[in-house]
Amino acid sequence: MVQCPDQRGVIAALAQLLYGFGCNIVESDQFTDKESDVYFQRIRFDFSDIVIGPANTAVLERAIAELAARYSMDWEIFYDTKVKRVAVLVSKMDHCLYDLLIRHRAGELNCAIPIIISNHPDLEGVAQMFGIDFRWVPMKTKDAEGKQAQEAEIDRILTELDVDIIILARYMQIFTHDFCARHAAHTINIHHSFLPAFEGAKPYHRAHDRGVKVIGATAHFATSELDAGPIIEQDVTRITHRDSVKDMIRKGRDLERLVLARAVRWVLEDRVLVHGNKTVVFED
Amino acid sequence: MVQCPDQRGVIAALAQLLYGFGCNIVESDQFTDKESDVYFQRIRFDFSDIVIGPANTAVLERAIAELAARYSMDWEIFYDTKVKRVAVLVSKMDHCLYDLLIRHRAGELNCAIPIIISNHPDLEGVAQMFGIDFRWVPMKTKDAEGKQAQEAEIDRILTELDVDIIILARYMQIFTHDFCARHAAHTINIHHSFLPAFEGAKPYHRAHDRGVKVIGATAHFATSELDAGPIIEQDVTRITHRDSVKDMIRKGRDLERLVLARAVRWVLEDRVLVHGNKTVVFED
Amino acid sequence: MVQCPDQRGVIAALAQLLYGFGCNIVESDQFTDKESDVYFQRIRFDFSDIVIGPANTAVLERAIAELAARYSMDWEIFYDTKVKRVAVLVSKMDHCLYDLLIRHRAGELNCAIPIIISNHPDLEGVAQMFGIDFRWVPMKTKDAEGKQAQEAEIDRILTELDVDIIILARYMQIFTHDFCARHAAHTINIHHSFLPAFEGAKPYHRAHDRGVKVIGATAHFATSELDAGPIIEQDVTRITHRDSVKDMIRKGRDLERLVLARAVRWVLEDRVLVHGNKTVVFED
Amino acid sequence: MVQCPDQRGVIAALAQLLYGFGCNIVESDQFTDKESDVYFQRIRFDFSDIVIGPANTAVLERAIAELAARYSMDWEIFYDTKVKRVAVLVSKMDHCLYDLLIRHRAGELNCAIPIIISNHPDLEGVAQMFGIDFRWVPMKTKDAEGKQAQEAEIDRILTELDVDIIILARYMQIFTHDFCARHAAHTINIHHSFLPAFEGAKPYHRAHDRGVKVIGATAHFATSELDAGPIIEQDVTRITHRDSVKDMIRKGRDLERLVLARAVRWVLEDRVLVHGNKTVVFED
């Protein structure tokens, strides 16, 4: 994935370079943001039928780096062989967790899930059903220190297990600014409203009070500003005056599941680029 | 349509009364709001095969009034033979206006449209295409007095033409509190966002800035609080990072058309009851 | 739930009867099929605050039966206290099974699931995860006799466990006419296309070959004619030229899950009436 | 737009060529059909800031032709300055016609509409409202000869007005195989069902009889096989047991409008490639 000021010749230069290395471009998607004149491109290529190895990829990467320097280009290369490592954080609600684990087992999510972390012990059974380690990391004291200790412990686990991506699957805790800042680019949260409507607590209750006719869910990168990070995916479902808050919660569960799963899959497949407070999603 | 405290026997009493008068219940839909314990019912009945006339309907209405008193019931009876009179208010955008006029011509909207009122002269041609009177009511001076004069003129037209329902089909003016209060229960506005997100001006621009993945439209009763009235209908459509504000405006036009048309049809068919700041919509 | 020729007074009579018994009507939904002039009504009432017991319900049922005779009415009364017993039939695909079991555990589906039956042993592990009995009933010989033996064994299990409803959660076997006829009114199947398009085998492959832009799923009552029974629920999702059959299968899994779950919930809540080859679904 | 056997280097070669000519690639979308190993690409580029003129474009086209020969590539170049000419064919229903004309007037459809042709005189008034010529071309005798004469007259008009694209906006006539074959690649039809369900006559009636829970609309290229041409776009809307055929027709009108308009816009913007009996749609 590359990102650089929009300019002539960059497409040709990249394509030529990859062709020179005998790479076959399998997918390519591009987008120019006209407001900021920034060019984004996602290229998926394989060099499976040429000799591969650390030496070759290093040469390729050096060549890309040189080209990138010429075009003031940010770039990142992801190897399919490097499977991302995911930590799922949960509290007491199990629907998103079940959904992710079932999709993972079905092969929909190309990642490893070495750990499920929770501030409550309730979902250990679900983790066991799927043979995944579970760590209960409660807040031992209800103050800033307790929170810091909790986050330090989570950080320790993430480091120990070499975690690339954090999924907040209805994790009902607000992180400190520090924690958010450290993990901003790789933490996916699911919020149960169509943001920016009903940011913060109890969105279904407030949606009910407002008398809306659709409810939504939003998957976004978590940043230090609550529910204000770059949106990856959103969807909605219809409700009527008959739907109580309880009905909305039930209908919302399906939405949250689907929206989070889509966002996670796209992030795992390196389809999502963050640009300012927005995302470029190269959908499949 | 009736509305009363939830209580035993009210359904039976009403059904019995109508049966006693030889009326056939064609449709019936009901809803109990559990929070406020209020019971709502919409009954559609015909007495077409019994002798009809002012005398009969008066007797029927008297009977209903007596029953209503017994059950502390608010009630209203609408006669299909009494066609509602609608004024459409527009500014410069024509898509909602066209849509309403075409649906009206196609027989989808059971109403008379005696007048189109605008603060700009631009859409007079559209009114002419459909043979409907057009009144240009500009703000002659850009101050409170100018606004009052304009609203007084609009009020005069509404009274003169015996208008029952006002449709703000992208009318880009904010009314005074007084005007809103006078017309609150029968003024339908279309707002180009999924309220409560992006209340007020330029919602598509703000949606673009926030990087949302869906845009919406909301039809609601206009009240003196801007974009905060009871919501009648909402819908959304997907967008991507590729959609500029201009694309959103184009996609939004289709949404606005559809959402406004549904809301108008339901109001015309007396399917919408206001309860606090919410609506009960007895959909067909 | 009642069903009778459309006629005056039936609503009043029923409402009056229930009122007379001190019952409170909580929900009521009705529908008149104009082509056949048949009237359908679903009334949900409670008599929780009067003395209940077998004697009382017998008296109530006798009264309804008398009224029903007067109006040539078919009727059925369901008691919330009588939890329906469900058998889930599966083959090798687990997504619908997981979904039903998770919803059941979450309290979305008001039923007991005493048994999961399969023609393959593969999903026994899933059954165990949720602590539900699993019976492997293979076709021992690949002929009519083998099929009959298999169905006889299934019938034996259904009878033994007093099963009310059969869910075919991607059960990839075609039943004999006899078996279908015996279970027609209470067997729900999920078919992976928007019927009547792509009836029968391999609908995703055929959808791919046809180049459709939406794929669908259909939950219907299984009858002896393959994929032709009364439709309970359908939904679709968009696809593009990029979606391979494999992608369609993945996207379809979400659809199948949602559509089947909705249909099952509605059937469990006695919201579905069969009328000829169609259904009347009193949605919540 | 290009189409060729999938092979290494083609992307680089094209990009390099355009770069060499000083062209700026504004949009680029590609797709490889794995079954047939065919590569498709749509590139949108501008050379507005270099000297343009017939001479330059001829040189560019010659260069592309040479490259195309090397890669066995089919290619076509479209110039924004060349506005496509569209004939709209209608019968008696006006909703799709109105919709197209309003979108055209709003600038959504980049084309000229020199003519509306109909086998009935009914919609002449609509044509006049929008200042577009209307030609009534009835079948003078109800036999093969009458049909041939009618089609010959239509062909004469299309040739005379240099029409590029034919839109069948609910034109209720079936063309002869000859006519279809002549216009297959540039005739867009709107069918009021989600094909392949309910091909042919009266789809809403048949959908009603089958008891489906969604109805659809399909825009496709008309070919000599009825309703079997390459699908460009489809969409659906929910219905319930309450919807009569008349309700379905009303709800379907909105669908038909939207689906046809999207397909027409994509074709006008050269976003649609036909591949066998399918389309590749490079959506915006």
Side-chain angles (χ1 to χ4, degrees), chain B:
Chain B
M1 294 209 287
V2 306
Q3 174 169 348
C4 67
D6 191 24
Q7 58 205 299
R8 228 156 259 184
V10 59
I11 296 179
L14 253 172
Q16 200 62 52
L17 184 153
L18 291 171
Y19 178 56
F21 272 82
C23 300
N24 192 29
I25 295 178
V26 182
E27 289 176 45
S28 172
D29 205 349
Q30 59 172 89
F31 167 66
T32 304
D33 181 59
K34 266 138 203 164
E35 287 162 39
S36 57
D37 263 326
V38 176
Y39 174 78
F40 302 87
Q41 190 174 14
R42 176 182 184 268
I43 304 175
R44 191 180 151 86
F45 58 90
D46 68 66
F47 42 21
S48 57
D49 45 359
I50 58 167
V51 187
I52 324 170
N56 281 318
T57 59
V59 175
L60 175 63
E61 292 196 15
R62 205 169 327 120
I64 295 175
E66 272 164 30
L67 185 144
R70 217 154 66 235
Y71 288 96
S72 318
M73 185 193 283
D74 290 330
W75 65 283
E76 203 163 359
I77 195 164
F78 302 95
Y79 297 93
D80 278 3
T81 47
K82 163 79 176 84
V83 171
K84 291 190 179 60
R85 297 173 66 77
V86 169
V88 183
L89 271 67
V90 294
S91 288
K92 293 182 169 185
M93 269 167 291
D94 59 13
H95 57 286
C96 285
L97 178 62
Y98 265 126
D99 191 72
L100 291 169
L101 297 180
I102 289 168
R103 287 180 199 276
H104 184 243
R105 184 171 278 197
E108 283 184 33
L109 305 176
N110 181 30
C111 65
I113 305 180
I115 195 73
I116 294 162
I117 302 173
S118 180
N119 56 331
H120 292 286
D122 307 53
L123 302 188
E124 179 155 20
V126 178
Q128 280 172 347
M129 279 165 78
F130 290 82
I132 294 178
D133 280 351
F134 179 90
R135 217 70 72 83
W136 175 27
V137 185
M139 238 174 99
K140 277 170 190 160
T141 57
K142 299 249 167 209
D143 54 14
E145 255 170 61
K147 174 134 245 154
Q148 272 192 337
Q150 186 191 35
E151 291 187 353
E153 173 64 9
I154 292 172
D155 264 337
R156 219 191 41 71
I157 298 171
L158 299 176
T159 307
E160 173 201 326
L161 295 173
D162 201 17
V163 165
D164 302 299
I165 286 166
I166 303 169
I167 301 175
L168 306 179
R170 300 298 310 273
Y171 181 70
M172 306 303 280
Q173 294 268 307
I174 295 171
F175 288 112
T176 61
H177 280 223
D178 275 11
F179 188 94
C180 288
R182 263 199 309 282
H183 299 290
H186 55 264
T187 302
I188 305 169
N189 184 42
I190 180 74
H191 182 75
H192 39 314
S193 81
F194 47 90
L195 292 174
F198 310 120
E199 295 170 346
K202 292 202 171 290
Y204 291 134
H205 290 79
R206 286 150 64 206
H208 189 257
D209 287 349
R210 180 61 186 91
V212 296
K213 302 297 185 187
V214 290
I215 53 170
T218 305
H220 62 96
F221 286 113
T223 59
S224 51
E225 197 182 335
L226 186 67
D227 299 329
I231 293 172
I232 306 167
E233 170 65 345
Q234 298 187 291
D235 212 341
V236 304
T237 200
R238 290 186 75 81
I239 57 163
T240 75
H241 59 272
R242 292 184 198 286
D243 287 297
S244 64
V245 171
K246 216 182 127 193
D247 294 322
M248 289 164 66
I249 289 171
R250 173 176 54 76
K251 290 188 173 180
R253 280 201 294 260
D254 280 336
L255 264 184
E256 296 162 29
R257 267 191 272 250
L258 290 172
V259 168
L260 178 59
R262 269 184 237 144
V264 167
R265 195 164 56 79
W266 291 335
V267 169
L268 288 175
E269 295 181 2
D270 305 308
R271 297 181 172 280
V272 184
L273 270 168
V274 173
H275 174 49
N277 201 41
K278 300 188 194 181
T279 61
V280 171
V281 179
F282 291 123
E283 287 191 35
D284 54 343

Side-chain angles (χ1 to χ4, degrees), chain A residues 109-122:
Chain A
L109 304 176
N110 181 29
C111 65
I113 305 181
I115 194 75
I116 295 162
I117 302 173
S118 180
N119 56 330
H120 291 287
D122 307 52

